[in-house]
């Protein structure tokens, strides 16, 4: 929690990318990218399996497909718009693609600021029998609660 105890402001979530130290932001074209945290967007997220909504709008994050940019959409009732923690690390935010694949938020691996979704990377520590063992840090996003205006 990143909070000002004296603030009477409404709380919100910051979508923080741990590896880069940057925060997710929706730009005027509704593209989601990471930038300095003083430029971050404010999000509402009510818990496991709920949409992550851009505060002040009806738009939410939606997983479109593996390797594709995450979308900002008003289709917040679909399973692709519901986000949960994907692994024991508690840092991978995942949504189910319409084909049943679990997709995680991921910072574009080619050093861009774009946020996309990829098949969730399994850490060796997760105790999963998956063969997708890689370094999952590019997928480490955390919803941090704040109330700082």
């Amino acid at each position: 929690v990143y909070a000002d105890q004296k603030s009477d402001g409404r709380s919100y979530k910051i979508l923080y990318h741990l590896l880069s130290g940057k925060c997710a932001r929706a730009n005027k074209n509704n593209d989601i990218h990471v930038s300095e945290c003083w430029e971050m967007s404010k999000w509402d997220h009510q818990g496991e399996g709920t949409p992550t909504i851009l505060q002040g709008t009806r738009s939410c994050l939606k997983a479109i497909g593996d390797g594709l940019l995450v979308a900002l959409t008003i289709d917040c009732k679909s399973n692709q718009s519901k986000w949960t923690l994907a692994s024991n690390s508690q840092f991978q935010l995942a949504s189910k693609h319409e084909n049943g694949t679990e997709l995680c938020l991921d910072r574009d691996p080619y050093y861009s600021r774009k946020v996309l979704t990829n098949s969730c990377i399994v850490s060796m520590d997760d105790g999963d029998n998956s063969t997708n063992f890689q370094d999952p840090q590019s997928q480490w996003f955390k919803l941090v609660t704040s109330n700082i205006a």
Side-chain angles (χ1 to χ4, degrees):
V1 175
Y2 182 61
D4 179 353
Q5 301 304 320
K6 298 176 186 173
S7 174
D8 59 358
R10 179 178 169 203
S11 69
Y12 56 89
K13 303 286 186 188
I14 299 168
L15 189 53
Y16 181 71
H17 186 252
L18 281 78
L19 183 61
S20 67
K22 309 267 186 202
C23 295
R25 177 173 185 252
N27 67 17
K28 62 184 176 186
N29 297 323
N30 288 332
D31 295 325
I32 308 300
H33 62 273
V34 291
S35 64
E36 298 303 324
C37 288
W38 56 269
E39 296 180 307
M40 91 306 192
S41 293
K42 297 176 181 179
W43 304 91
D44 287 321
H45 185 81
Q46 301 302 316
E48 287 290 290
T50 64
T52 301
I53 300 171
L54 181 62
Q55 202 172 73
T57 73
R58 293 179 22 219
S59 300
C60 63
L61 297 177
K62 182 176 182 180
I64 301 300
D66 195 10
L68 299 177
L69 296 176
V70 68
L72 200 55
T73 178
I74 59 170
D75 179 20
C76 298
K77 293 187 184 216
S78 85
N79 287 334
Q80 294 167 261
S81 297
K82 296 176 182 172
W83 297 88
T84 61
L85 291 172
S87 71
N88 293 337
S89 76
Q90 301 296 301
F91 296 134
Q92 288 170 290
L93 292 173
S95 181
K96 290 276 188 191
H97 188 268
E98 56 194 15
N99 68 9
T101 306
E102 193 170 59
L103 298 175
C104 284
L105 289 180
D106 201 343
R107 182 176 178 192
D108 187 336
Y110 299 105
Y111 303 100
S112 95
R113 300 178 338 150
K114 296 177 181 176
V115 177
L116 41 87
T117 55
N118 280 315
S119 294
C120 295
I121 297 170
V122 179
S123 168
M124 293 293 279
D125 297 335
D126 283 345
D128 191 313
N129 292 330
S130 174
T131 58
N132 191 18
F133 291 118
Q134 298 173 29
D135 184 352
Q137 292 182 70
S138 67
Q139 295 183 345
W140 284 1
F141 282 88
K142 182 131 181 100
L143 286 163
V144 179
T145 303
S146 183
N147 70 345
I148 296 175

